[in-house]
Every structure is written in structure tokens, then in C-alpha cells.
Amino acid sequence: DGGITQSPKYLFRKEGQNVTLSCEQNLNHDAMYWYRQDPGQGLRLIYYSQIVNDFQKGDIAEGYSVSREKKESFPLTVTSAQKNPTAFYLCASSINPANQPQHFGDGTRLSIL
Amino acid sequence: AQKVTQAQTEISVVEKEDVTLDCVYETRDTTYYLFWYKQPPSGELVFLIRRNSFDEQNEISGRYSWNFQKSTSSFNFTITASQVVDSAVYFCALIPASNDYKLSFGAGTTVTVRA
């Protein structure tokens, strides 16, 4: 079945550690996105990528980094510079133009040890 | 900049009651797209509807209906004869045509349907 796979489902980070969240899609979508969800705040855009080898900062990019080396993959690294990383992270993809509906993965819940 | 406001944080109803979720938006663009998504307890967001700013027709899909009113910048969502499976967080969202990669979400409304 086509869809978006995020892994792991749960992730724990130690102080000063970088962690990478995986996002893979087999929908043949050009655009991919990372969102952060905190209780009561909806989803906020971290980074997005319109096409392979290109990505743009969203509203809350500080402390995060991404890469887009393959169309199918858009991993997110939460760096030690992100002081409050505990949140639910959602990856999404869409066809272009991006005003089309986005398809979401099941999310990764990141917590601090 | 655009903004989406969902004033209702939580709504609790008994099964078979109707429930209406409010969504008010702000944008300077004359062309924009509005969405509703459902987030069940499992966590993934499920797309429900997309509406462009030039199409003010109301829409009905089974027990779901949407009322788009440009004059009041509102895009409200009604669930008729609610069921326990409708329990979820519902998000309203907007994309302006000037930057159609930046989807802005409201804070969400948690709907609980009691048997």
C-alpha cells in the first residue's frame, strides 16, 4: 500500500545528543514536510522540501536540520541546540502544486531522558 | 501572514447529537485553500476536505458537512448524528496562494462522543 512511514514511533534523547527521525514515502510525491505538534498548539512547520536536493525553513527551524537526497526520504535531525525537543513530530508529503492535500505519517514521539 | 483560529478547545456530546466545529481564518491573499483534517488517537492526520476561496458552495459528505462563508472568513464543520468513532482532534488549516507550501493550522478542537 502507498503511504508514509515514520520511524521510530517513540524516541528518547539524552542531553547534548543529536537524534534523527526517519520519514519515507512511496507515493511518488515531490513535496515533503516536517511538523511539530505540542499540546494545544496545533501543528507548526519545521522544514519543507519542494524537490530533491532542495529544502526551506519553516516557522520553527532553529535546532533542527534536514536533508533531501532522495525523493522518497526526508529525515529530520533534532540537534542538541533544540532546547525543548519533547513533542510529537509528523512528516507529510504532497504532490505539486502544494495546495493539494497533504498525506501524513503516524508520527514519532520524542522525549528527553 | 495568515492565521487560523479554532475557538473551541474541547466539545463533548452524547452519541447521535450534532456537533459544529468553528473555524475563522485571516489572510491577505485573495486566493487561498482551506482544509479540515481529523487526528484520531492513533496520531496520523486524515484529510477530510479541501476548498478553494472561489468556491463558496457548501458541501455534504455522508454525516459531514461544511459551511464556507467568505463574508465572515469562516469555514465551519458539522458532524450530524455523531458516533463514538468521531472522537478525535479536528484541525482547520489554510494555505495562501502566495506560498502554497506553508500550511497554517488552527490549534485544533477535541471532540469526545460519549455512548
Side-chain angles (χ1 to χ4, degrees):
Chain A
D1 285 348
I4 297 178
T5 302
Q6 289 188 241
S7 62
K9 197 170 180 66
Y10 299 95
L11 187 59
F12 298 90
R13 193 190 91 170
K14 295 179 181 177
E15 295 285 344
Q17 186 182 42
N18 293 354
V19 292
T20 297
L21 284 61
S22 170
C23 177
E24 303 277 332
Q25 55 101 357
N26 60 4
L27 298 167
N28 200 33
H29 287 171
D30 286 311
M32 296 188 74
Y33 314 79
W34 273 105
Y35 293 91
R36 170 178 171 141
Q37 185 177 15
D38 294 282
Q41 291 192 43
L43 280 71
R44 291 181 291 168
L45 183 64
I46 305 172
Y47 269 98
Y48 64 98
S49 169
Q50 301 176 29
I51 199 167
V52 175
N53 293 321
D54 179 69
F55 49 83
Q56 308 292 332
K57 291 181 180 180
D59 298 320
I60 55 166
E62 186 174 350
Y64 301 96
S65 66
V66 294
S67 63
R68 186 87 187 276
E69 297 175 1
K70 298 187 300 182
K71 187 175 186 178
E72 303 80 19
S73 179
F74 191 40
L76 173 75
T77 296
V78 183
T79 74
S80 56
Q82 172 50 246
K83 298 307 179 188
N84 184 23
T86 298
F88 188 54
Y89 291 87
L90 284 157
C91 178
S93 70
S94 71
I95 62 173
N96 284 319
N99 57 49
Q100 299 299 317
Q102 294 181 15
H103 297 254
F104 286 81
D106 290 345
T108 294
R109 193 167 297 279
L110 176 62
S111 302
I112 295 297
L113 282 177
Chain B
Q2 56 274 357
K3 183 179 177 182
V4 177
T5 301
Q6 294 179 254
Q8 303 148 306
T9 305
E10 294 183 31
I11 299 176
S12 181
V13 297
V14 177
E15 215 170 13
K16 298 184 183 178
E17 286 185 1
D18 297 349
V19 56
T20 295
L21 284 63
D22 298 333
C23 173
V24 175
Y25 61 90
E26 298 173 29
T27 179
R28 293 178 182 174
D29 286 49
T30 55
T31 302
Y32 50 89
Y33 302 85
L34 295 163
F35 301 81
W36 276 95
Y37 285 88
K38 173 182 180 180
Q39 185 178 38
S42 52
E44 84 282 11
L45 266 72
V46 177
F47 164 73
L48 296 178
I49 190 171
R50 169 184 179 267
R51 178 54 49 87
N52 74 57
S53 52
F54 296 107
D55 181 4
E56 288 194 70
Q57 274 193 330
N58 291 332
E59 182 158 338
I60 298 175
S61 176
R63 295 184 296 105
Y64 294 170
S65 62
W66 291 269
N67 181 4
F68 177 29
Q69 293 197 345
K70 251 174 128 170
S71 59
T72 56
S73 297
S74 65
F75 187 42
N76 297 338
F77 172 35
T78 297
I79 303 172
T80 303
S82 60
Q83 300 175 1
V84 172
V85 293
D86 296 327
S87 297
V89 183
Y90 291 86
F91 292 97
C92 182
L94 176 147
I95 280 185
S98 59
N99 188 340
D100 59 4
Y101 291 91
K102 297 196 76 174
L103 184 60
S104 294
F105 284 85
T109 298
T110 300
V111 174
T112 302
V113 182
R114 309 186 307 276

